[in-house]
């Protein structure tokens, strides 16, 4: 069985059928030994939780399996397996797995059960976790990435839609960077932030003496973008009197500066973005229909963060790593933010980054988000050993950060400060992402 979903005039098909493979990139996770042998789950775009408690996608009738035992997901390069703080661990052969990317065909052991992650001859597919500076592993983002790939050889005008902070400008930059115009300029004109009385000059340019204060010629945004890409950000806020002038410039690919009499040819690709529903604005008469059709050749809808919650933790972790945090710290802080299940993230990825900056700076969730943590569905108490291990790891992480700062990363100095053996210091430094410390 297949379902079809349209994105900006292009159609993508996602196979949902079960069996040895399920569409592009799908695998079948099968319980091959244990009390629940024979159970299976088709894993495609989202993650799969394995455990003995209702609420997990793959529920095992195995008392040696924790309520929420492990999580698996398809990622670029293989299948990611994470231990969710289980009591008895996740094993491949004799090796215990905490967080690893494994090959298709691997057999996991959880409690008294064994689980096969598809067939060894089954390819994982062409899933990707990023495109340009966009990041996401969810199905909505995979559809976005697929459309962006199809636009790489195109010069089509693209209208990027989405809420504030959802990544519209990042999508536009990704389109530019993947196009033949990548070596040319990428010029952003923000229709919402430019004062109305100077918007025409900023967009089309002006000649010296054309108005009070015009002491020199100025090249406008459209002309500056020649040879590259012009992004019209928040195009829905463009003043009505400028809309027909912009339409003419886009249709003729030429501009006339304010105060000038001659038109200048420009070679541009046009991208536009808005958080508004332009079709509704057209119906209300506040946006020109002919300009709308000129801009909406291809429409790309950026999903809100609340529509792809499975991206919150990996996106937060990616942001923290980009900011230079250690892998262990990035994972820990990302988990804290992702635990805010009830929060709707109205500011989307921009708000997520602000929350992470606040958390890094002050060590606490921003006050306006903290209340949402109390609204989460009740969860069972973490098993003692898992809770103790988590507390010890948090203590070690904070202590090691302070020790590195105090000792300058010099191992002999760190040993004297901490009063512990050299080998212990080396192990702790490596464990929390500080590499091999100095001598």
């Amino acid at each position: 069985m297949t379902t079809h979903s349209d994105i900006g005039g292009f159609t993508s098909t996602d196979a949902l059928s079960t069996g040895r493979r399920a569409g592009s990139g799908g695998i079948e996770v099968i319980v091959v030994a244990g009390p629940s042998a024979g159970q299976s789950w088709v894993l495609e775009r989202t993650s799969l939780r394995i455990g003995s408690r209702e609420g997990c996608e793959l529920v095992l009738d195995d008392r040696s399996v924790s309520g929420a035992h492990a999580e698996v997901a398809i990622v670029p390069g293989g299948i990611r397996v994470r231990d969710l703080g289980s009591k008895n661990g996740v094993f491949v052969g004799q090796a215990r797995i905490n967080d690893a990317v494994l090959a298709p065909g691997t057999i996991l052991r959880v409690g008294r059960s064994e689980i096969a992650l598809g067939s060894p001859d089954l390819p994982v597919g062409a899933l990707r976790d990023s495109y340009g500076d966009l990041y996401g592993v969810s199905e909505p983002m995979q559809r976005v990435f697929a459309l962006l790939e199809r636009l790489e050889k195109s010069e089509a005008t693209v209208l990027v839609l989405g809420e504030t902070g959802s990544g519209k400008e990042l999508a536009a930059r990704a389109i530019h960077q993947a196009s033949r115009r990548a070596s040319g300029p990428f010029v952003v004109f923000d229709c919402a932030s430019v004062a109305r009385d100077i918007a025409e000059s900023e967009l089309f340019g002006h000649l010296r003496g054309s108005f009070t204060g015009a002491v020199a010629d100025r090249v406008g945004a459209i002309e500056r973008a020649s040879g590259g890409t012009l992004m019209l950000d928040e195009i829905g806020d463009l003043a009505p009197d400028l809309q027909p002038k912009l339409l003419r410039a886009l249709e003729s690919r030429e501009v006339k500066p304010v105060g000038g009499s001659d038109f200048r040819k420009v070679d541009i690709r046009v991208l536009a973005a808005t958080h508004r529903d332009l079709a509704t604005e057209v119906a209300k008469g506040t946006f020109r229909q002919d300009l709308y059709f000129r801009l909406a050749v291809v429409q790309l809808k950026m999903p809100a963060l609340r529509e792809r919650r499975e991206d919150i933790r990996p996106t937060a972790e990616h942001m923290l790593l980009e900011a230079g945090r250690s892998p262990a710290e990035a994972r820990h802080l990302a988990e804290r933010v992702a635990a805010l299940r009830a929060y709707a993230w109205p500011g989307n990825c921009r708000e997520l980054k602000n929350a992470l900056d606040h958390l890094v700076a002050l060590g606490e969730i921003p006050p306006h988000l903290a209340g949402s943590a109390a609204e989460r569905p009740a969860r069972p108490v973490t098993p003692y050993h898992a809770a103790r291990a988590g507390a010890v790891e948090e203590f070690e992480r904070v202590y090691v950060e302070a020790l590195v700062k105090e000792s300058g990363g010099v191992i002999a100095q760190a040993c004297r400060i901490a009063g512990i053996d050299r080998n212990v210091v080396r192990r702790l430094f490596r464990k929390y992402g500080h590499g091999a410390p100095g001598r």
Side-chain angles (χ1 to χ4, degrees):
M1 179 180 68
T2 57
T3 60
H4 300 273
S5 57
D6 294 325
I7 305 179
F10 292 97
T11 301
S12 63
T13 303
D14 296 320
L16 301 179
S17 58
T18 60
R20 292 304 293 175
R21 65 178 301 149
S24 175
I27 66 168
E28 188 175 18
V29 177
I30 309 169
V31 183
V32 294
S36 299
Q39 284 197 51
S40 65
W41 185 274
V42 175
L43 175 63
E44 292 191 300
R45 306 288 186 177
T46 57
S47 59
L48 164 68
R49 287 171 301 166
I50 301 170
S52 59
R53 188 179 67 234
E54 292 295 326
C56 293
E57 286 78 16
L58 185 56
V59 179
L60 303 180
D61 183 19
D62 185 340
R63 292 187 177 183
S64 58
V65 170
S66 298
H69 199 107
E71 179 184 70
V72 298
I74 298 176
V75 298
I79 304 165
R80 185 182 186 184
V81 178
R82 289 198 311 131
D83 189 326
L84 299 178
S86 67
K87 180 179 179 181
N88 294 326
V90 180
F91 292 84
V92 175
Q94 298 301 312
R96 183 163 183 167
I97 300 298
N98 289 318
D99 190 340
V101 176
L102 306 174
T106 300
I107 295 181
L108 303 179
R109 179 162 52 85
V110 294
R112 294 185 292 113
S113 301
E114 293 182 356
I115 301 171
L117 303 179
S119 169
D121 59 356
L122 183 62
V124 170
L127 294 184
R128 57 192 303 167
D129 59 10
S130 64
Y131 191 102
D133 291 326
L134 292 170
Y135 191 83
V137 296
S138 65
E139 182 175 354
M141 288 305 292
Q142 294 301 313
R143 292 200 300 265
V144 169
F145 296 160
L147 179 53
L148 290 174
E149 288 177 348
R150 298 184 66 181
L151 289 170
E152 288 177 358
K153 297 181 180 179
S154 171
E155 284 281 291
T157 301
V158 182
L159 178 61
V160 187
L161 306 171
E163 297 178 4
T164 298
S166 60
K168 298 187 295 296
E169 184 173 338
L170 293 180
R173 286 185 181 275
I175 292 171
H176 169 73
Q177 290 166 359
S179 74
R180 68 173 182 84
R181 296 176 176 269
S183 60
F186 179 80
V187 178
V188 179
F189 181 81
D190 191 340
C191 303
S193 65
V194 178
R196 186 165 182 168
D197 57 342
I198 64 169
E200 183 175 4
S201 169
E202 292 293 317
L203 190 57
F204 300 102
H206 66 253
L207 299 184
R208 177 184 177 184
S210 57
F211 55 87
T212 302
V215 297
D217 291 354
R218 178 177 178 80
V219 177
I222 296 178
E223 196 171 355
R224 292 201 309 275
S226 191
T229 301
L230 172 69
M231 180 192 176
L232 300 166
D233 199 12
E234 294 303 343
I235 186 65
D237 293 302
L238 185 67
D241 59 313
L242 286 183
Q243 292 179 21
K245 297 179 180 180
L246 175 62
L247 176 62
R248 187 195 182 286
L250 298 184
E251 289 183 333
S252 65
R253 289 299 197 263
E254 56 184 20
V255 295
K256 182 172 71 172
V258 176
S261 57
D262 298 325
F263 286 92
R264 302 173 182 176
K265 285 289 184 181
V266 291
D267 171 26
I268 57 173
R269 182 187 187 174
V270 178
L271 308 175
T274 181
H275 72 282
R276 298 181 182 276
D277 183 344
L278 287 191
T280 299
E281 299 295 324
V282 168
K284 289 163 52 178
T286 57
F287 198 85
R288 290 180 63 103
Q289 184 180 56
D290 46 6
L291 179 57
Y292 169 69
F293 287 128
R294 168 62 60 181
L295 296 172
V297 176
V298 176
Q299 295 188 50
L300 171 63
K301 176 69 167 63
M302 295 301 297
L305 192 56
R306 64 180 174 276
E307 297 170 352
R308 52 186 188 100
R309 290 185 179 275
E310 61 267 45
D311 284 338
I312 294 175
R313 183 188 54 74
T315 300
E317 189 171 339
H318 175 75
M319 289 177 174
L320 290 162
L321 290 172
E322 288 288 301
R325 315 310 295 186
S326 70
E329 184 179 14
R331 184 165 55 251
H332 170 72
L333 296 177
E335 291 284 3
R336 289 185 63 181
V337 172
L340 303 173
R341 306 290 184 190
Y343 192 64
W345 297 102
N348 295 292
C349 291
R350 187 176 295 127
E351 185 179 12
L352 175 61
K353 186 178 187 308
N354 289 342
L356 291 171
D357 291 343
H358 186 284
L359 181 57
V360 168
L362 301 180
E364 62 182 20
I365 297 293
H368 73 286
L369 302 184
S372 66
E375 300 173 25
R376 287 179 293 167
R379 298 176 62 184
V381 175
T382 304
Y384 169 79
H385 293 291
R388 183 176 182 276
V392 170
E393 181 173 346
E394 173 64 8
F395 162 75
E396 288 181 344
R397 183 188 64 79
V398 174
Y399 185 86
V400 168
E401 292 287 343
L403 185 59
V404 169
K405 183 176 181 180
E406 181 70 17
S407 67
V410 178
I411 191 167
Q413 180 69 3
C415 290
R416 284 193 293 271
I417 294 171
I420 55 179
D421 182 76
R422 175 184 298 267
N423 291 331
V424 177
V425 171
R426 287 186 181 277
R427 178 182 62 79
L428 289 173
F429 275 34
R430 291 194 183 97
K431 180 177 179 181
Y432 294 100
H434 295 286
R439 298 187 63 180

